[in-house]
Amino acid sequence: FFQKTLTAVKNWFTLFGWSKGQNPISVPYSLRRDVCKVQVTSSQDKVFKQNLGKDTKTVYDMLFHLSGRLLPGITSSQSLPLDPVERMLQLHWQHSTLLAFLKSQGAYLSHVMPEFLLEPDDYKKWIKVQSELKVDVKKTDIFSNKHLFILEDSIFETMSKRAWTDVLLQVYKVFVLPRVSSCNITDLFSLESVQNMPRIKSEPLSSNIYSPYERTILTWLNKHYEKNRKTVWKDCQKGEVPPMRWIVNFDRDLLDGLVLAAQLAAYCPYLVATHFVRMYTNPRTPEQFLHNCLILVNAMHAVSLAIDIKV
């Protein structure tokens, strides 16, 4: 599940996260590596590195493209100190600033520590520096041993990959999902066929899982599924018209492909006769679920909608 999530996140940010076209990323490797446009390791390499790195796209460029803002204290051409320890400390400060900025925008990242976003060698330097500090036992800030996580190399890589994935997911949530318009949400249930369905509340505090924008999408899914299920599968070959359902999440309720097929049929009705009539309307086995999803993927390919979706 996490690997599929990581792949989806990587593909979306590669395609749409940058201002001048695609920019292939790897999580966490390129995000950790490309943190500054100028990365100097010695005085002899200074000019060469500046020329080589001037077109490097950093996570800060991505945030500026998606949010229109620069992080406080971080410029678009940030450089790093020559001293390895000073370099590590500045990177830790930059990651702390990044996390604080995202949290101020509504991101849920309390479980992500700045050191988890560092390169492995910088993480080891961070542990060494913190272990050498003589800290008052009464202190409870990030420099306290209480908050010092010493991880083995393999565990750190897993933690770092998860941390960067969660950062990207929260960036998407706070800067991309809010573009979903909710001005006509009251009209989504105006049809007689869906008037008796339960409503999904859009108030900010009505859910501790989904944001108002995600709940707007759930409302949209409910509306099109209920509106189209009798039309799309009235002549289905593998069962009766699927029953009414209340769609309240983005994983279990979408597994059988029927909900997404109903959305696609709302905008491309010509796909019904060529694709969707062959779907199982009450799938029970993994093979039937796979059958439905393969038909859905083929339909998305037919209208050039599939973004790196493979059969």
Side-chain angles (χ1 to χ4, degrees):
F1 172 80
F2 289 124
Q3 186 58 46
K4 290 179 180 179
T5 301
L6 173 61
T7 300
V9 168
K10 181 178 67 175
N11 289 342
W12 191 93
F13 279 92
T14 291
L15 292 170
F16 307 114
W18 313 91
S19 59
K20 297 181 179 179
Q22 300 181 18
N23 179 47
I25 66 170
S26 58
V27 182
Y29 310 108
S30 69
L31 297 175
R32 294 188 311 204
R33 182 185 68 242
D34 301 334
V35 288
C36 291
K37 290 183 182 297
V38 183
Q39 298 194 35
V40 291
T41 55
S42 70
S43 57
Q44 295 179 345
D45 293 337
K46 188 172 182 179
V47 175
F48 173 74
K49 288 287 185 178
Q50 284 178 335
N51 293 334
L52 180 66
K54 65 180 180 179
D55 294 326
T56 300
K57 295 181 179 180
T58 71
V59 65
Y60 310 117
D61 296 315
M62 179 190 71
L63 285 174
F64 182 74
H65 171 62
L66 295 176
S67 70
R69 311 178 196 178
L70 290 174
L71 270 63
I74 298 179
T75 65
S76 59
S77 57
Q78 192 80 16
S79 60
L80 294 173
L82 293 174
D83 181 77
V85 174
E86 292 182 3
R87 175 184 181 277
M88 176 273 297
L89 291 175
Q90 177 170 323
L91 284 173
H92 189 276
W93 172 81
Q94 290 181 195
H95 293 327
S96 299
T97 303
L98 168 66
L99 294 174
F101 171 73
L102 293 176
K103 290 176 186 177
S104 71
Q105 305 302 311
Y108 299 149
L109 291 168
S110 59
H111 62 293
V112 177
M113 308 296 286
E115 52 266 32
F116 297 159
L117 305 179
L118 293 169
E119 290 271 18
D121 290 342
D122 287 330
Y123 172 73
K124 293 177 182 178
K125 294 186 182 74
W126 166 259
I127 293 299
K128 182 179 179 180
V129 168
Q130 298 309 305
S131 299
E132 293 172 351
L133 288 177
K134 294 180 180 180
V135 183
D136 189 332
V137 294
K138 294 183 180 180
K139 291 185 178 179
T140 57
D141 58 20
I142 196 172
F143 293 98
S144 171
N145 289 333
K146 180 181 178 181
H147 298 277
L148 186 60
F149 295 92
I150 302 177
L151 306 176
E152 297 179 359
D153 292 350
S154 60
I155 301 299
F156 172 76
E157 283 293 350
T158 300
M159 184 69 75
S160 183
K161 181 180 293 186
R162 178 65 185 273
W164 275 108
T165 301
D166 288 345
V167 165
L168 293 180
L169 285 169
Q170 292 299 309
V171 166
Y172 184 88
K173 187 189 79 171
V174 299
F175 295 129
V176 180
L177 275 186
R179 300 174 189 172
V180 177
S181 174
S182 60
C183 58
N184 294 323
I185 190 171
T186 55
D187 297 333
L188 292 180
F189 283 96
S190 59
L191 295 175
E192 182 179 355
S193 60
V194 295
Q195 285 180 352
N196 295 326
M197 288 186 62
R199 300 294 189 267
I200 295 177
K201 296 181 180 180
S202 59
E203 291 79 6
L205 298 180
S206 63
S207 173
N208 62 349
I209 299 177
Y210 294 131
S211 68
Y213 315 105
E214 291 169 308
R215 295 198 295 278
T216 297
I217 295 175
L218 287 174
T219 300
W220 173 71
L221 292 173
N222 276 284
K223 178 251 186 179
H224 280 303
Y225 175 76
E226 183 57 29
K227 177 185 176 183
N228 295 318
R229 64 184 178 88
K230 295 180 181 179
T231 303
V232 175
W233 291 287
K234 65 179 180 179
D235 299 320
C236 60
Q237 303 171 3
K238 299 182 181 295
E240 301 177 350
V241 172
M244 176 186 290
R245 68 169 72 173
W246 192 27
I247 303 154
V248 295
N249 59 63
F250 292 102
D251 45 16
R252 186 173 299 275
D253 289 338
L254 305 184
L255 281 177
D256 60 11
L258 295 174
V259 174
L260 293 178
Q263 316 309 309
L264 194 53
Y267 301 95
C268 306
Y270 50 85
L271 292 173
V272 173
T274 58
H275 293 77
F276 300 145
V277 294
R278 296 184 285 112
M279 299 178 75
Y280 288 97
T281 55
N282 189 25
R284 298 182 180 277
T285 66
E287 291 77 13
Q288 292 175 344
F289 277 72
L290 177 61
H291 172 88
N292 281 1
C293 291
L294 290 177
I295 289 178
L296 179 62
V297 170
N298 285 330
M300 296 176 73
H301 278 291
V303 294
S304 301
L305 187 61
I307 301 174
D308 200 34
I309 297 178
K310 301 177 181 179
V311 179

